[in-house]
């Protein structure tokens, strides 16, 4: 039998070795590494300045369920789980769906302590309160969107003509950063019914982490401090009747106490990176606060009877309703073009 030449042996060995590498199943540690929170999602996570006179700090997401009861049309939902937890919250979808309101057990006019939230400590952490959720949508080919969801138990609302308006139990705000191959490209700042987008290069940072300014008592997120008129959402004129106010009050680091999830847009499902954090609450489609009180309720006040100036309004929807698979960095909105500003502006 003729002997094999050295080059031919080398080729055969390389082929067999390569086949083994391709066919080998990933090890447990390799699977764990692939299922970890992408490190850039943490290293570029926003920090948030809370206004020095804000009446409501970030709050524990789960604690909201301790202090509320599910209602539809101001009636308690029959058959709801008791106790209601982050692990079973989505069961309310079959008991009223989007018409369910997590309604305060306490009289909100008395400003119970739980509505005030938890002031971040010197390291920016809401100690003892999981007050944020990070949701990662990997579109493939190195395109990743990271949603940083911020929760407050209470939205005290702005003051107009001496009266607070737009006050509601529960408040969800967010930043979204769009990454390409782990490099941040642009960032979205949620503001009332819309928001603003900027290039990552344009925004203020602490180190490499973008900075957001949470407006006094509304928690709308802005890229710069100062006064912002939001009469036209997302436009923010220098003057106008509806104003938000931002300053460097208390610095909050949301990812210091947060849940972390991946999001599969095809199946509309969430998976906890740690394998243990609750996910049911993310599927809940109802509201995170009281339903707007009717005019017959003595707590309700309106300026000159104008509905838009109601003192108490309905609580918000949760992360599920924040367009987690949006085509552009901006929140999709009919007849609105997505403008990603390359420079800072009000």
């Amino acid at each position: 039998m003729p002997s094999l030449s050295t080059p031919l042996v080398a080729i055969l060995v390389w082929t067999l070795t390569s086949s083994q590498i391709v066919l080998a199943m990933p090890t447990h540690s390799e699977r764990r590494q692939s299922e970890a929170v992408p490190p850039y999602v943490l290293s570029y996570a926003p920090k948030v300045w809370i206004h020095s006179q804000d009446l409501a700090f970030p709050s524990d997401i789960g604690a909201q369920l301790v202090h509320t009861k599910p209602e539809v049309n101001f009636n308690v939902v029959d058959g709801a789980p008791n106790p209601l937890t982050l692990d079973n919250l989505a069961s309310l979808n079959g008991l009223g769906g989007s018409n369910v309101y997590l309604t305060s057990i306490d009289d909100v006019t008395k400003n119970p302590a739980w509505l005030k939230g938890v002031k971040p400590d010197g390291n920016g952490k809401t100690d003892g309160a999981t007050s944020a959720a990070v949701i990662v949508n990997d579109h493939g080919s190195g395109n990743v969107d990271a949603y940083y969801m911020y929760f407050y138990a209470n939205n005290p609302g702005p003051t107009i003509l001496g009266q607070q308006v737009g006050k509601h139990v529960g408040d969800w705000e967010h930043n979204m950063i769009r990454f390409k191959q782990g490099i941040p490209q642009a960032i979205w700042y949620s503001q009332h019914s819309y928001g603003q987008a900027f290039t990552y290069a344009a925004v203020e940072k602490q180190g490499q982490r973008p900075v957001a300014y949470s407006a006094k008592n509304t928690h709308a997120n802005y890229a710069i401090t100062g006064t912002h008129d939001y009469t036209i959402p997302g436009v923010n004129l220098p003057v106008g009747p509806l104003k938000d106010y931002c300053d460097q009050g208390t610095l909050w680091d949301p990812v210091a106490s947060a849940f972390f999830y991946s999001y599969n847009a095809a199946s509309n499902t969430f998976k906890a990176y740690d394998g243990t954090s609750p996910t049911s609450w993310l599927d809940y489609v109802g509201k995170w606060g009281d339903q707007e009180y009717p005019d017959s309720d003595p707590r309700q006040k309106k300026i000159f009877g104008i509905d838009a100036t109601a003192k108490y309004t309905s609580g918000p929807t949760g992360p599920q309703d924040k367009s987690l698979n949006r085509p552009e960095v901006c929140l999709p909105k009919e007849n609105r073009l997505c403008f990603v500003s390359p420079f800072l502006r009000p």
Side-chain angles (χ1 to χ4, degrees):
M1 182 176 179
S3 61
L4 295 174
S5 65
T6 300
L8 182 56
V9 171
I11 291 172
L12 288 172
V13 170
W14 179 87
T15 302
L16 289 171
T17 305
S18 299
S19 299
Q20 290 172 349
I21 293 173
V22 171
L23 295 174
M25 294 295 291
T27 65
H28 179 65
S29 62
E30 287 171 337
R31 288 195 298 271
R32 284 181 55 193
Q33 184 177 9
S34 66
E35 294 171 359
V37 181
Y40 53 84
V41 169
L42 300 176
S43 58
Y44 290 104
K47 290 187 176 183
V48 181
W49 281 109
I50 299 171
H51 194 276
S52 58
Q53 297 177 7
D54 205 312
L55 299 175
F57 287 107
S59 306
D60 185 80
I61 300 169
Q64 195 79 353
L65 308 186
V66 176
H67 299 287
T68 59
K69 58 184 183 297
E71 292 186 349
V72 173
N73 293 326
F74 304 102
N75 294 307
V76 175
V77 174
D78 289 331
N82 187 15
L84 200 59
T85 70
L86 295 180
D87 285 308
N88 61 27
L89 186 60
S91 64
L92 296 177
N93 292 347
L95 298 171
S98 61
N99 294 316
V100 175
Y101 290 82
L102 298 180
T103 306
S104 175
I105 295 171
D106 302 302
D107 181 355
V108 297
T109 65
K110 305 298 184 183
N111 293 315
W114 64 273
L115 288 180
K116 300 174 184 177
V118 177
K119 184 176 182 178
D121 62 21
N123 295 316
K125 182 179 181 180
T126 51
D127 194 35
T130 303
S131 51
V134 180
I135 301 171
V136 180
N137 183 355
D138 188 341
H139 299 276
S141 302
N143 299 303
V144 173
D145 291 340
Y147 294 80
Y148 303 87
M149 300 286 180
Y150 313 138
F151 183 68
Y152 304 80
N154 181 30
N155 182 95
T159 300
I160 299 176
L161 298 179
Q163 176 179 298
Q164 276 186 301
V165 300
K167 181 180 177 70
H168 53 80
V169 175
D171 194 18
W172 282 103
E173 301 292 345
H174 73 279
N175 285 121
M176 187 269 264
I177 299 181
R178 175 153 290 180
F179 294 92
K180 178 70 174 179
Q181 304 297 343
I183 306 300
Q185 306 297 307
I187 179 170
W188 173 255
Y189 293 77
S190 69
Q191 301 160 2
H192 304 285
S193 62
Y194 195 56
Q196 292 176 292
F198 297 88
T199 63
Y200 170 77
V203 302
E204 180 184 336
K205 304 173 188 69
Q206 287 198 356
Q208 63 185 7
R209 298 179 64 177
V211 170
Y213 289 88
S214 177
K216 176 185 175 183
N217 293 336
T218 72
H219 308 136
N221 290 306
Y222 293 92
I224 60 174
T225 189
T227 302
H228 305 265
D229 176 78
Y230 61 93
T231 305
I232 304 175
V235 176
N236 298 333
L237 299 172
V239 293
L242 300 178
K243 294 183 178 67
D244 270 332
Y245 302 93
C246 300
D247 69 10
Q248 293 186 353
T250 301
L251 187 62
W252 176 32
D253 184 358
V255 297
S257 187
F259 294 124
F260 296 89
Y261 303 96
S262 61
Y263 174 67
N264 185 318
S267 59
N268 191 30
T269 56
F270 302 88
K271 183 178 180 181
Y273 278 106
D274 64 4
T276 60
S277 295
T279 57
S280 174
W281 68 274
L282 289 164
D283 295 319
Y284 170 64
V285 298
K287 313 302 191 299
W288 284 78
D290 294 28
Q291 185 172 355
E292 181 174 327
Y293 306 145
D295 292 348
S296 58
D297 191 311
R299 295 173 293 183
Q300 186 64 281
K301 307 292 181 184
K302 295 179 180 177
I303 301 174
F304 306 126
I306 301 172
D307 290 340
T309 66
K311 181 175 182 178
Y312 292 99
T313 58
S314 294
T317 52
Q320 176 71 253
D321 192 43
K322 301 301 185 279
S323 297
L324 300 178
N325 194 40
R326 60 186 72 168
E328 298 180 283
V329 69
C330 303
L331 184 73
K333 199 171 183 69
E334 188 175 0
N335 299 322
R336 291 294 293 262
L337 295 176
C338 181
F339 174 63
V340 181
S341 178
F343 52 86
L344 283 178
R345 59 186 180 88

